[in-house]
Amino acid sequence: MTAWPIAELLPHAGEMILLDAVLEHGPEHALCIRRVPTGGLFHDADGKLPAWMGVELMAQAIAAWAGCQAKAAAEPVRLGFLLGTRHYTCNVVAFEPDSELRIEARRDFHDDGGMGVFACRIEAPGVLAEARLTVFSPPDASALFQDGTFQDGKSPPPASEPSHG
């Protein structure tokens, strides 16, 4: 386990924190754990956590890795964004209550500008989910949101209109 509580590693709060702890971490990976509760914010009516939430569990494992890297370097935890997911597969439709999920994020690529690609997997008895996630953690995320505009000075498009760059 890490010396830091999970809430100090993620830029999330309350029920949005879906991980319980970081079991281990290193320069290239993080291994996290989640005991699936019975019911919760994202659970189905039957109390199960839908398998599509595995993508968020993986994204939070990446965020926990980044948080561990920041804490070890005595730097602040930075905001990050999930840009995309490739080939998410899961052999179950939902994660059962009381199952203990082991979520691993392994860095494949990361640059100084904040772009990264991670190979991720979730394992539990009878459960295997895998994906590659692309993430972005800019050095100064606050610059993206100054005065309601993007860094290039343009306002974000209305939700009903597609953005064409």
Side-chain angles (χ1 to χ4, degrees):
M1 296 266 203
T2 65
W4 310 287
I6 195 72
E8 290 182 18
L9 300 174
L10 301 177
H12 298 69
E15 286 189 82
M16 294 305 295
I17 297 175
L18 300 181
L19 301 177
D20 294 328
V22 176
L23 296 177
E24 63 182 59
H25 67 92
E28 304 299 324
H29 82 287
L31 178 62
C32 303
I33 193 163
R34 173 64 171 179
R35 179 165 299 278
V36 179
T38 302
L41 187 60
F42 299 104
H43 290 242
D44 289 336
D46 61 3
K48 297 177 182 178
L49 184 64
W52 54 264
M53 284 299 297
V55 173
E56 178 61 21
L57 291 169
M58 292 172 175
Q60 287 195 19
I62 294 168
W65 171 84
C68 288
Q69 300 303 307
K71 290 286 191 179
E75 296 175 356
V77 172
R78 296 187 343 205
L79 184 62
F81 302 95
L82 172 62
L83 298 181
T85 305
R86 289 192 176 219
H87 309 293
Y88 178 71
T89 61
C90 187
N91 68 339
V92 296
V93 296
F95 303 117
E96 296 288 332
D98 294 322
S99 60
E100 188 173 279
L101 306 177
R102 294 172 64 89
I103 306 103
E104 182 177 20
R106 186 162 297 280
R107 180 172 69 166
D108 284 345
F109 167 80
H110 199 252
D111 69 17
D112 292 339
M115 293 293 294
V117 178
F118 289 76
C120 300
R121 58 191 294 130
I122 299 173
E123 293 182 282
V127 174
L128 177 62
E130 296 179 298
R132 289 175 50 89
L133 275 61
T134 303
V135 296
F136 177 57
S137 181
D140 182 12
S142 65
L144 296 174
F145 303 106
Q146 287 181 341
D147 302 323
T149 60
F150 289 114
Q151 193 171 14
D152 63 5
K154 297 179 183 175
S155 294
S160 60
E161 294 180 26
S163 173
H164 299 289

